[in-house]
Amino acid sequence: MNPVAETTAPKFPPLEDRPIKNTICLFDVDGTLTPARLGISPEMLATLQRLREKVAIGFVGGSDLVKQQEQLGVLTGEPVTGMFDFCFSENGLTAYKMGAALPSNSFIQWLGEDRYKELVRFVLHYIADLDIPVKRGTFVEFRNGMVNVSPVGRNASTQERNDYQKYDLEHKVRETFVEKLREKFGHLGLTFAIGGQISFDVFPNGWDKTYCLQHLEKEAKRPGGIEYTTVHFFGDKTSEGGNDYEIFTDPRTVGHTVVGPEDTMKQLKELFGV
Ligand code: M1P
């Protein structure tokens, strides 16, 4: 299913007619709406549909739209851009509002080819020299808005991911790697964020999840646009160093820490009765 395919007629009230019109709920994806890298559950889907009757909803994830489509659209096959009012892939560098694309940005444009090559050369040498129990493939994933680096490789199976995560926690592989990168490349204005199970993300300072908030600010300035005076954010990696930390602590949001999708649903029930 093409995630940007035209969506069917809206089943939800237009944004300006939502009962709690100036409120939006933004969700991290992995560990918040879905188990890490897995699909959304029918219960979560139904909860989001009930919530969307009341407030605007959006997701903000580090992965690209194709991966979010796989995870969030798995049950219905519906384009994910039709399932949420706002879709912020790659932290909002690729963004959609009501199924229509908003202006995008890119990492390589910002960094330039030469500095990018220097970074990748260092990363691949470092991984080649790492002695860890298992290595698979795709150690560097080049994305529109960031580079994702994984010592075990993104081709690891679910079991290999879980095993690596345990190993990493004990041996601080990613933590040490990131410290080295900060020393060597910190002057370029890059952020290194450990978010998921097996990797970390590298992107320009400020291109964390707070990046997506500028789309909401632009929406408020648009003639007839809605000003979201309350922006709830739900995420599972909200501690310092986690990839939800910046948006969670941003003064423009009301942050909620969740321990997994079940907890997200529990908190939504308490807050909005859905
Ligand atoms: O959303 C959290 C992270 O999810 C994935 O991480 P991992 O593969 O390590 O579990 C990646 O998509 C990463 O970019 C993202 O930050």
Side-chain angles (χ1 to χ4, degrees):
M1 167 67 64
N2 175 359
V4 298
E6 213 169 286
T7 56
T8 49
K11 288 172 277 183
F12 299 92
L15 290 172
E16 58 276 15
D17 294 340
R18 302 276 160 96
I20 317 174
K21 177 181 154 184
N22 298 99
T23 292
I24 183 167
C25 289
L26 293 179
F27 300 92
D28 161 56
V29 179
D30 283 303
T32 300
L33 290 180
T34 72
R37 298 299 300 128
L38 300 178
I40 194 166
S41 69
E43 294 76 22
M44 177 64 84
L45 193 61
T47 300
L48 290 175
Q49 286 172 346
R50 288 193 295 272
L51 183 65
R52 202 176 172 192
E53 296 286 343
K54 297 189 171 187
V55 299
I57 66 167
F59 70 79
V60 49
S63 298
D64 62 21
L65 190 62
V66 172
K67 296 212 174 89
Q68 285 145 357
Q69 176 67 42
E70 282 165 20
Q71 289 178 268
L72 300 171
V74 66
L75 294 174
T76 59
E78 192 187 339
V80 74
T81 51
M83 293 167 59
F84 292 80
D85 301 304
F86 290 88
C87 298
F88 298 128
S89 302
E90 296 170 286
N91 295 344
L93 293 171
T94 299
Y96 288 82
K97 179 196 157 199
M98 303 299 279
L102 298 171
S104 65
N105 206 343
S106 95
F107 178 76
I108 194 70
Q109 259 176 42
W110 181 89
L111 189 63
E113 289 294 349
D114 288 346
R115 280 183 293 190
Y116 176 67
K117 274 196 299 188
E118 201 192 324
L119 174 73
V120 169
R121 202 181 308 134
F122 182 88
V123 162
L124 291 176
H125 274 295
Y126 188 97
I127 294 177
D129 290 340
L130 270 181
D131 185 14
I132 53 175
V134 163
K135 284 185 194 173
R136 290 296 175 255
T138 315
F139 302 102
V140 173
E141 186 173 82
F142 180 77
R143 299 177 183 170
N144 180 50
M146 67 167 76
V147 174
N148 178 268
V149 177
S150 173
V152 62
R154 301 206 60 77
N155 298 135
S157 65
T158 302
Q159 184 58 51
E160 286 160 353
R161 279 180 155 267
N162 296 339
D163 294 345
Y164 175 80
Q165 190 178 22
K166 271 195 220 135
Y167 183 88
D168 188 86
L169 208 63
E170 203 182 317
H171 294 86
K172 303 197 184 313
V173 178
R174 285 183 292 175
E175 217 177 290
T176 314
F177 195 169
V178 158
E179 269 168 32
K180 284 268 172 332
L181 286 167
R182 282 200 186 110
E183 274 166 33
K184 204 166 159 47
F185 296 98
H187 66 281
L188 296 180
L190 290 169
T191 296
F192 301 90
I194 300 174
Q197 288 182 290
I198 57 161
S199 66
F200 57 87
D201 297 327
V202 184
F203 49 84
N205 293 341
W207 286 22
D208 48 58
K209 287 184 183 171
T210 60
Y211 188 94
C212 75
L213 299 176
Q214 63 185 262
H215 292 295
L216 298 183
E217 284 166 356
K218 282 183 194 144
E219 162 65 12
K221 290 189 188 127
R222 201 180 52 79
I226 297 172
E227 183 183 1
Y228 290 105
T229 48
T230 306
V231 180
H232 290 282
F233 171 76
F234 299 80
D236 67 324
K237 298 282 189 311
T238 55
S239 313
E240 198 163 359
N243 65 358
D244 295 328
Y245 177 73
E246 290 83 2
I247 191 167
F248 174 77
T249 52
D250 192 288
R252 292 169 290 181
T253 66
V254 181
H256 306 270
T257 303
V258 302
V259 294
E262 294 293 324
D263 190 32
T264 306
M265 288 191 282
K266 182 170 165 270
Q267 294 196 34
L268 287 174
K269 191 170 184 154
E270 284 160 11
L271 279 166
F272 297 101
V274 292

